[in-house]
Amino acid sequence: MQNSISLIFSGTGIDFHVIDRVIDPNAVSFMDQDRILYRGEAFTLTGSRLNQDDFHWAQVEKDGRVRTMKNGRYSEWRIVPETEYGPRYRSGFEVLNKAYCLALNEAGALLNEEGTFRTGANWPSVWTRDIAYATHLGLGMWNVRACMKSLQARVRNGEVEQDTGTGGSWPISSDRVVWCIAAWEAYCLTGDGDWLLRASRVLEKTCLKDEKVLTMTGGLMKGESSFLDWREQSYPAWMTSADIGDSSCLSTMVLHAAARKMLARMFRELGMEGKAREWDGKGAALSVVVEKFFRIPGNDLYGQYLYGRGYPVLSEKVDSLGNMLCVLLGHAHGAHAARMVAALPHCVYGIPCFHPQMPEDVPPYHNRATWPFLEGYYAQAAAATGNECGLALALACMVRAALLCGTNKENLLLETGLDEGLLLSSDSQLWSIAGMLGGFYKGLFGLRVSPDSLEFRPCIPDSFAGVHELSGLEYRGMTVDVRVSGQGRRIVCCRINGQEADPVLPAGGKGRKAVELELASDGEHPGQVNLSHVKRSLASPEWKASRHGISWTAVPGADYYRVFRNGIPVSQTEYCYYIAAPAEGEAHYQVMAVALDGRESFLNEPNEYPSADSRLETRPCGLAGDEVWSSRVTKSPDALFYNVNIDRPGVYRVDAFFANGTYDVSDGNTCAMRSLYLNGRRAGTLAFPHTSRSGNWDCFIYSTAVEVVLKPGPCRVELAYDSFSVNMNRLVNDAVIKHLRFTRIS
């Protein structure tokens, strides 16, 4: 069989230029090492060398040596043989062989004595989202038992533990349900019925608690973006930890929908059809919400998050992880999924966390950075949608970064592709390693696991044509060796243990299985990439005092401004003021700056204009002067407030003026919660996240809110610590509260 070799793209368009060169896929020759696997605007990758510029390159030798020039400094290092675990990979391209081997070695080095994974060189413990994403990316195919043990380590009191995060973790951070995608992957790989039963119970308890605490009108799940948990990196500066807790983001919403659907699959596997239908319905309902509220109008992609105090507006920035989860977890299908991958902005050294970036004054970590685990997901999304160009780009970006840095870094600067200049970048990051492994397993080899089978859907870009071998993959009691030859996605021949067969291994087999796949490219479109340069958002307008209407300072680079009232655009102006009409009830005004090229700022902080009768306040009974109620789990956790007298019926937004100095605003797990009871009935949960630095109890903000329908008359008000108020810490759950306010919003 003969194969044409192609160069990849250059510039912003994707054009394949076929070279009339023919290879024997059964031979590994020196010309494979000179083959151009990828040529882009910023670097070129051949079978044995990375060429970026005179000061940045890497040369891979067959004896395991890697010679590198980074920032003009020459060094040599060696990739030792693979660890005892996991499948072995071989091809005619040493850069691929060594990048894969480096990932195996770093994964092995992260295993601790207890048999669980450390998160990275800088992070010695197991984290929920890191081990979950890593397992799903491909780490489970490397060492599923260690993944399962690590996942179990993140279960506490029968539910998944939320990682530390903004405002003291859950419910401000609420992406712990990501555990589900890893738990399901582990079951598909092992067929372990005991694991499935335990996982279903853990996931059900987790989802039930999230349903009770986080569901709001319209079915939106609250909480910050998954993994983007360093608040100033991706949220407007004016948003407090409580504002983030009241927002709703794409990535976490997609995970919650997927968790319910996967829980249904678990129950169906266990023969519990009634529960399966129930959770299928809940998952489908959340998918409808995602489509309704997060799809960017007139676009195939989905926006970043809904934000604003009571009047949510969609940020139309592109959250890369959220959009790729839409593709890989089944929210987007077929042609729509393919268009999404082709439209995702991708910079020259890697896919950004989001696009465009934050304004100039925000330093790089998530902002202005590419994270290799996201690149791993981009590789899988490209392969799943048949985008060979995208897969080639993703593999090249991951290999470039790993070989040049000598490790699978946590993140890299978007503008340079290097690990210098960031606030933080750990070596040997677990999910970066898993992203690399998954690029091979689920990208090139197209491995797809389910409870019933292991399916093969390889995707070999033309420039990667040749022989790719994977040996020693463990799947449900079978040891699988895979050999793929050729290029493209069309399987022209499949042999299993020498016999022609469909490219699938049914569960239940035993022993060693040798799978041989021959591919041919029959002219199908190789896909395309939205190659983008780094762009920054405009700064948000700042309010200034005005006697008439509302006004703001001019924003550099702004062409015009959009004015929003209660979350709805009401004006577009080139001027820096707006004459507001008298409000009936509450009016929130916000302004967005827009550049000539379409780049937008975030909306600025809401400017409130409540009517005289739209707001009521009440204090805890018995307080005098400027006293505050100190609510601690161990002392006075509950309080009765003075009654509020509702004059006009309507929807009221209830929140509390509070402080929580238990820990820093950006970290910890001690976000406080109390249930709000009105006239003896539970109306919902208020969250009181960290408000400042640890030990500072004098920084007061408003809490998350509960929206309720109230009728005229006296309303009895209580806050109570009950079963709905248990946080991730469980022992420390404290806040000080000055008053509650009731604001009529409709």
Side-chain angles (χ1 to χ4, degrees), residues 416-568:
T416 65
L418 302 175
D419 54 323
E420 292 89 359
L422 296 143
L423 291 174
L424 184 66
S425 182
S426 174
D427 290 349
S428 304
Q429 194 74 2
L430 184 67
W431 55 13
S432 300
I433 294 164
M436 178 75 79
L437 296 176
F440 289 86
Y441 301 153
K442 299 185 179 185
L444 288 176
F445 290 94
L447 303 180
R448 304 286 186 271
V449 292
S450 72
D452 304 318
S453 65
L454 171 63
E455 189 176 353
F456 304 90
R457 301 180 194 171
C459 181
I460 308 295
D462 279 6
S463 59
F464 285 66
V467 176
H468 299 266
E469 296 180 324
L470 193 67
S471 61
L473 174 72
E474 298 296 329
Y475 171 71
R476 293 201 171 202
M478 291 176 273
T479 302
V480 183
D481 303 327
V482 189
R483 185 179 190 274
V484 178
S485 60
Q487 82 276 347
R489 308 186 299 276
R490 185 168 64 90
I491 298 174
V492 295
C493 182
C494 173
R495 296 184 182 86
I496 299 178
N497 287 349
Q499 302 296 315
E500 288 195 13
D502 293 329
V504 58
L505 283 174
K510 299 294 181 184
R512 198 156 198 124
K513 306 291 183 182
V515 181
E516 299 176 82
L517 301 164
E518 295 180 18
L519 306 181
S521 180
D522 55 5
E524 63 262 29
H525 194 279
Q528 63 186 48
V529 170
N530 181 14
L531 199 61
S532 305
H533 292 282
V534 179
K535 292 183 178 180
R536 292 182 174 87
S537 301
L538 299 184
S540 297
E542 294 184 4
W543 295 115
K544 65 180 183 181
S546 176
R547 292 183 178 180
H548 305 287
I550 56 175
S551 62
W552 54 91
T553 57
V555 174
D559 184 55
Y560 64 90
Y561 303 90
R562 289 197 196 108
V563 182
F564 289 70
R565 181 183 184 275
N566 293 352
I568 299 172

Side-chain angles (χ1 to χ4, degrees), residues 84-300:
E84 59 183 297
Y85 298 105
R88 306 291 196 271
Y89 167 79
R90 289 289 181 273
S91 73
F93 310 111
E94 283 302 310
V95 291
L96 301 185
N97 297 338
K98 295 303 183 288
Y100 179 87
C101 188
L102 175 62
L104 284 193
N105 288 319
E106 291 202 302
L110 289 177
L111 274 170
N112 58 32
E113 293 179 357
E114 293 78 30
T116 59
F117 284 106
R118 295 186 294 276
T119 298
N122 287 6
W123 317 110
S125 59
V126 182
W127 286 355
T128 299
R129 71 172 64 95
D130 293 65
I131 186 58
Y133 282 128
T135 301
H136 184 248
L137 275 163
L139 197 68
M141 290 186 173
W142 178 71
N143 189 337
V144 68
R145 292 298 172 183
C147 289
M148 293 164 72
K149 200 164 187 177
S150 301
L151 290 167
Q152 186 60 42
R154 296 303 294 163
V155 176
R156 187 178 177 191
N157 293 340
E159 63 186 87
V160 181
E161 190 159 12
Q162 177 69 42
D163 293 325
T164 59
T166 294
S169 187
W170 188 84
I172 309 302
S173 299
S174 58
D175 68 340
R176 60 186 180 144
V177 291
V178 68
W179 192 89
C180 73
I181 63 177
W184 180 249
E185 179 94 351
Y187 170 67
C188 290
L189 285 165
T190 63
D192 188 328
D194 290 339
W195 169 261
L196 180 66
L197 183 60
R198 291 198 305 273
S200 66
R201 289 172 175 169
V202 167
L203 189 56
E204 183 180 34
K205 185 175 181 180
T206 301
C207 287
L208 284 172
K209 187 166 184 177
D210 284 334
E211 292 258 322
K212 292 174 181 176
V213 177
L214 300 176
T215 301
M216 58 183 288
T217 303
L220 289 166
M221 304 302 293
K222 296 181 181 182
E224 69 182 335
S225 301
S226 182
F227 115 87
L228 301 176
D229 59 343
W230 196 338
R231 61 153 319 283
E232 62 268 23
Q233 288 289 304
S234 55
Y235 286 90
W238 60 264
M239 286 183 71
T240 67
S241 50
D243 288 327
I244 293 174
D246 257 342
S247 69
S248 185
C249 71
L250 173 67
S251 54
T252 299
M253 276 292 299
V254 173
L255 288 173
H256 276 279
R260 285 147 180 78
K261 294 173 185 177
M262 288 185 179
L263 185 53
R265 292 181 195 173
M266 291 178 180
F267 283 134
R268 195 160 279 122
E269 282 288 301
L270 292 167
M272 303 179 187
E273 185 58 33
K275 281 193 170 187
R277 285 197 301 269
E278 176 189 353
W279 286 103
D280 259 337
K282 292 178 183 293
L286 287 185
S287 291
V288 170
V289 172
V290 169
E291 196 64 28
K292 179 180 179 181
F293 289 105
F294 290 90
R295 185 80 168 264
I296 300 173
N299 200 307
D300 287 314

Side-chain angles (χ1 to χ4, degrees), residues 3-42:
N3 303 284
S4 296
I5 308 306
S6 303
L7 299 182
I8 312 289
F9 53 84
S10 61
T12 57
I14 308 300
D15 294 307
F16 270 77
H17 305 284
V18 178
I19 300 175
D20 294 325
R21 182 168 61 175
V22 176
I23 68 167
D24 176 2
N26 296 307
V28 176
S29 65
F30 288 110
M31 76 174 184
D32 288 327
Q33 305 312 313
D34 297 328
R35 173 106 63 84
I36 295 176
L37 300 176
Y38 166 83
R39 175 180 287 158
E41 179 180 319

Side-chain angles (χ1 to χ4, degrees), residues 620 629-633 635-641 673-675 677 718-722 725:
W629 166 46
S630 180
S631 175
R632 302 184 185 278
V633 174
K635 184 180 180 181
S636 303
D638 307 337
L640 178 67
F641 287 69
M673 289 184 290
R674 297 292 182 270
S675 285
Y677 286 83
E718 298 173 270
L719 282 182
Y721 177 80
D722 56 16
S725 306

